[in-house]
Amino acid sequence: MVTTFHSFVLASNLKRMLPRHPMLVLPELYVPNYQIKPGEITYSIISDEPKLLQHLEFGLKGFKTVMPFLRAEGNRNPDDDLHYNGAKAIFLQPGFKQLIRNHRCLVPADAFITGNPEAPYLVYL
């Protein structure tokens, strides 16, 4: 199994978010980051306080390691095949069921970096 590498980029001006989120309170000091990895502090909007952009730790805690990204198919795609088109099972896993339904957040990002560390892919709109 190939080790995958996940991080993301937040480099654009946060004021670009204001038309979509006009009530959002932006931080006074904003520092772009070109490689945000699991465990690092980044900007997030949580469902409990949707008008506040907060500094939070990126990743999913409470597991053996900090998990960076979860795919919709859950553990039904063990080979991490990008062309997988089978069932989406993440909602069926007890550990994620409550998180997905009740503890959502929005993480502003300009691009994602994924793949193997020797040959990463930059994914952006």
Side-chain angles (χ1 to χ4, degrees), residues 86-108:
K88 309 300 183 203
I90 193 72
F91 286 99
L92 303 176
Q93 295 183 1
F96 302 121
K97 195 174 198 175
Q98 287 294 84
L99 289 173
I100 290 172
R101 290 185 179 164
N102 301 320
H103 300 286
R104 291 182 174 257
C105 69
L106 175 66
V107 180

Short mmCIF file of all heavy atoms in Angstrom, two decimals, residues 86-108:
data_model
loop_
_atom_site.label_atom_id
_atom_site.label_comp_id
_atom_site.label_asym_id
_atom_site.label_seq_id
_atom_site.Cartn_x
_atom_site.Cartn_y
_atom_site.Cartn_z
N GLY A 86 -18.25 2.95 -6.20
CA GLY A 86 -19.16 2.08 -5.45
C GLY A 86 -19.94 2.85 -4.39
O GLY A 86 -20.05 4.08 -4.44
N ALA A 87 -20.46 2.12 -3.43
CA ALA A 87 -21.32 2.69 -2.39
C ALA A 87 -20.56 3.67 -1.50
O ALA A 87 -19.36 3.53 -1.27
CB ALA A 87 -21.89 1.56 -1.53
N LYS A 88 -21.27 4.66 -1.02
CA LYS A 88 -20.74 5.65 -0.09
C LYS A 88 -21.13 5.22 1.32
O LYS A 88 -22.30 5.24 1.66
CB LYS A 88 -21.29 7.05 -0.39
CG LYS A 88 -21.15 7.46 -1.84
CD LYS A 88 -19.72 7.48 -2.30
CE LYS A 88 -19.62 7.95 -3.73
NZ LYS A 88 -18.44 7.53 -4.41
N ALA A 89 -20.17 4.82 2.14
CA ALA A 89 -20.48 4.18 3.41
C ALA A 89 -19.98 4.93 4.64
O ALA A 89 -20.09 4.42 5.74
CB ALA A 89 -19.91 2.77 3.42
N ILE A 90 -19.46 6.12 4.50
CA ILE A 90 -18.91 6.82 5.66
C ILE A 90 -19.97 7.09 6.72
O ILE A 90 -19.70 7.05 7.91
CB ILE A 90 -18.17 8.11 5.24
CG1 ILE A 90 -17.34 8.66 6.39
CG2 ILE A 90 -19.13 9.15 4.72
CD1 ILE A 90 -16.13 7.88 6.71
N PHE A 91 -21.22 7.32 6.30
CA PHE A 91 -22.30 7.60 7.25
C PHE A 91 -22.68 6.37 8.08
O PHE A 91 -23.29 6.50 9.12
CB PHE A 91 -23.57 8.08 6.50
CG PHE A 91 -23.45 9.48 6.00
CD1 PHE A 91 -23.14 9.73 4.68
CD2 PHE A 91 -23.66 10.55 6.85
CE1 PHE A 91 -23.03 11.03 4.22
CE2 PHE A 91 -23.56 11.85 6.39
CZ PHE A 91 -23.24 12.09 5.08
N LEU A 92 -22.32 5.19 7.62
CA LEU A 92 -22.67 3.96 8.32
C LEU A 92 -21.69 3.61 9.43
O LEU A 92 -21.99 2.77 10.27
CB LEU A 92 -22.76 2.80 7.32
CG LEU A 92 -23.75 2.99 6.18
CD1 LEU A 92 -23.67 1.82 5.21
CD2 LEU A 92 -25.16 3.16 6.71
N GLN A 93 -20.52 4.20 9.44
CA GLN A 93 -19.53 3.88 10.46
C GLN A 93 -19.86 4.61 11.75
O GLN A 93 -19.98 5.84 11.76
CB GLN A 93 -18.13 4.25 9.97
CG GLN A 93 -17.70 3.42 8.78
CD GLN A 93 -16.30 3.74 8.34
OE1 GLN A 93 -15.62 4.58 8.93
NE2 GLN A 93 -15.85 3.07 7.31
N PRO A 94 -19.99 3.88 12.87
CA PRO A 94 -20.41 4.49 14.13
C PRO A 94 -19.51 5.65 14.58
O PRO A 94 -19.99 6.64 15.12
CB PRO A 94 -20.35 3.35 15.13
CG PRO A 94 -20.33 2.11 14.33
CD PRO A 94 -19.78 2.45 12.99
N GLY A 95 -18.22 5.56 14.37
CA GLY A 95 -17.31 6.61 14.81
C GLY A 95 -17.50 7.93 14.08
O GLY A 95 -17.16 8.99 14.60
N PHE A 96 -18.03 7.87 12.88
CA PHE A 96 -18.20 9.07 12.08
C PHE A 96 -19.63 9.57 11.99
O PHE A 96 -19.89 10.69 11.61
CB PHE A 96 -17.67 8.84 10.67
CG PHE A 96 -16.23 8.44 10.62
CD1 PHE A 96 -15.86 7.24 10.06
CD2 PHE A 96 -15.26 9.26 11.16
CE1 PHE A 96 -14.53 6.86 10.03
CE2 PHE A 96 -13.93 8.90 11.12
CZ PHE A 96 -13.57 7.70 10.57
N LYS A 97 -20.57 8.71 12.32
CA LYS A 97 -21.99 9.03 12.15
C LYS A 97 -22.38 10.34 12.86
O LYS A 97 -22.94 11.24 12.25
CB LYS A 97 -22.83 7.87 12.69
CG LYS A 97 -24.25 7.89 12.28
CD LYS A 97 -24.90 6.60 12.76
CE LYS A 97 -26.17 6.35 12.02
NZ LYS A 97 -26.75 5.06 12.39
N GLN A 98 -22.06 10.46 14.14
CA GLN A 98 -22.39 11.67 14.90
C GLN A 98 -21.57 12.88 14.44
O GLN A 98 -22.08 13.99 14.38
CB GLN A 98 -22.18 11.44 16.40
CG GLN A 98 -23.23 10.54 17.01
CD GLN A 98 -24.60 11.18 16.97
OE1 GLN A 98 -25.31 11.11 15.98
NE2 GLN A 98 -24.99 11.81 18.05
N LEU A 99 -20.30 12.66 14.14
CA LEU A 99 -19.46 13.76 13.68
C LEU A 99 -20.01 14.38 12.41
O LEU A 99 -20.10 15.60 12.28
CB LEU A 99 -18.03 13.28 13.42
CG LEU A 99 -17.20 12.93 14.64
CD1 LEU A 99 -15.88 12.31 14.22
CD2 LEU A 99 -16.97 14.15 15.51
N ILE A 100 -20.37 13.55 11.46
CA ILE A 100 -20.85 14.05 10.17
C ILE A 100 -22.19 14.76 10.32
O ILE A 100 -22.45 15.76 9.68
CB ILE A 100 -20.94 12.89 9.16
CG1 ILE A 100 -19.52 12.45 8.80
CG2 ILE A 100 -21.71 13.30 7.92
CD1 ILE A 100 -19.45 11.20 7.98
N ARG A 101 -23.05 14.25 11.19
CA ARG A 101 -24.38 14.84 11.34
C ARG A 101 -24.39 16.08 12.23
O ARG A 101 -25.15 17.00 11.99
CB ARG A 101 -25.34 13.81 11.91
CG ARG A 101 -25.66 12.73 10.92
CD ARG A 101 -26.68 11.79 11.45
NE ARG A 101 -26.96 10.79 10.44
CZ ARG A 101 -27.58 9.66 10.69
NH1 ARG A 101 -27.99 9.38 11.90
NH2 ARG A 101 -27.80 8.80 9.73
N ASN A 102 -23.54 16.13 13.26
CA ASN A 102 -23.66 17.19 14.27
C ASN A 102 -22.45 18.09 14.43
O ASN A 102 -22.56 19.10 15.12
CB ASN A 102 -23.99 16.57 15.62
CG ASN A 102 -25.27 15.77 15.59
OD1 ASN A 102 -26.23 16.19 14.97
ND2 ASN A 102 -25.26 14.62 16.22
N HIS A 103 -21.31 17.76 13.88
CA HIS A 103 -20.09 18.53 14.14
C HIS A 103 -19.38 18.88 12.84
O HIS A 103 -18.23 18.54 12.63
CB HIS A 103 -19.15 17.76 15.07
CG HIS A 103 -19.74 17.45 16.38
ND1 HIS A 103 -19.93 18.40 17.35
CD2 HIS A 103 -20.23 16.29 16.88
CE1 HIS A 103 -20.49 17.84 18.40
NE2 HIS A 103 -20.69 16.56 18.14
N ARG A 104 -20.06 19.59 12.00
CA ARG A 104 -19.47 19.97 10.71
C ARG A 104 -18.72 21.29 10.83
O ARG A 104 -19.00 22.09 11.70
CB ARG A 104 -20.55 20.09 9.65
CG ARG A 104 -21.15 18.77 9.28
CD ARG A 104 -22.18 18.96 8.19
NE ARG A 104 -22.65 17.69 7.73
CZ ARG A 104 -22.26 17.14 6.58
NH1 ARG A 104 -21.42 17.76 5.81
NH2 ARG A 104 -22.74 15.97 6.21
N CYS A 105 -17.80 21.49 9.89
CA CYS A 105 -17.11 22.77 9.83
C CYS A 105 -16.76 23.08 8.38
O CYS A 105 -16.78 22.20 7.52
CB CYS A 105 -15.86 22.77 10.70
SG CYS A 105 -14.54 21.72 10.10
N LEU A 106 -16.46 24.32 8.13
CA LEU A 106 -16.03 24.79 6.82
C LEU A 106 -14.57 25.20 6.96
O LEU A 106 -14.24 26.01 7.83
CB LEU A 106 -16.89 25.97 6.39
CG LEU A 106 -16.51 26.67 5.10
CD1 LEU A 106 -16.72 25.73 3.92
CD2 LEU A 106 -17.34 27.92 4.91
N VAL A 107 -13.72 24.65 6.12
CA VAL A 107 -12.29 24.97 6.14
C VAL A 107 -11.96 25.64 4.82
O VAL A 107 -11.96 24.99 3.77
CB VAL A 107 -11.43 23.70 6.33
CG1 VAL A 107 -9.95 24.05 6.35
CG2 VAL A 107 -11.82 22.97 7.60
N PRO A 108 -11.71 26.96 4.83
CA PRO A 108 -11.36 27.64 3.58
C PRO A 108 -10.05 27.09 3.01
O PRO A 108 -9.09 26.89 3.75
CB PRO A 108 -11.17 29.10 3.99
CG PRO A 108 -11.71 29.21 5.37
CD PRO A 108 -11.73 27.86 5.97
#
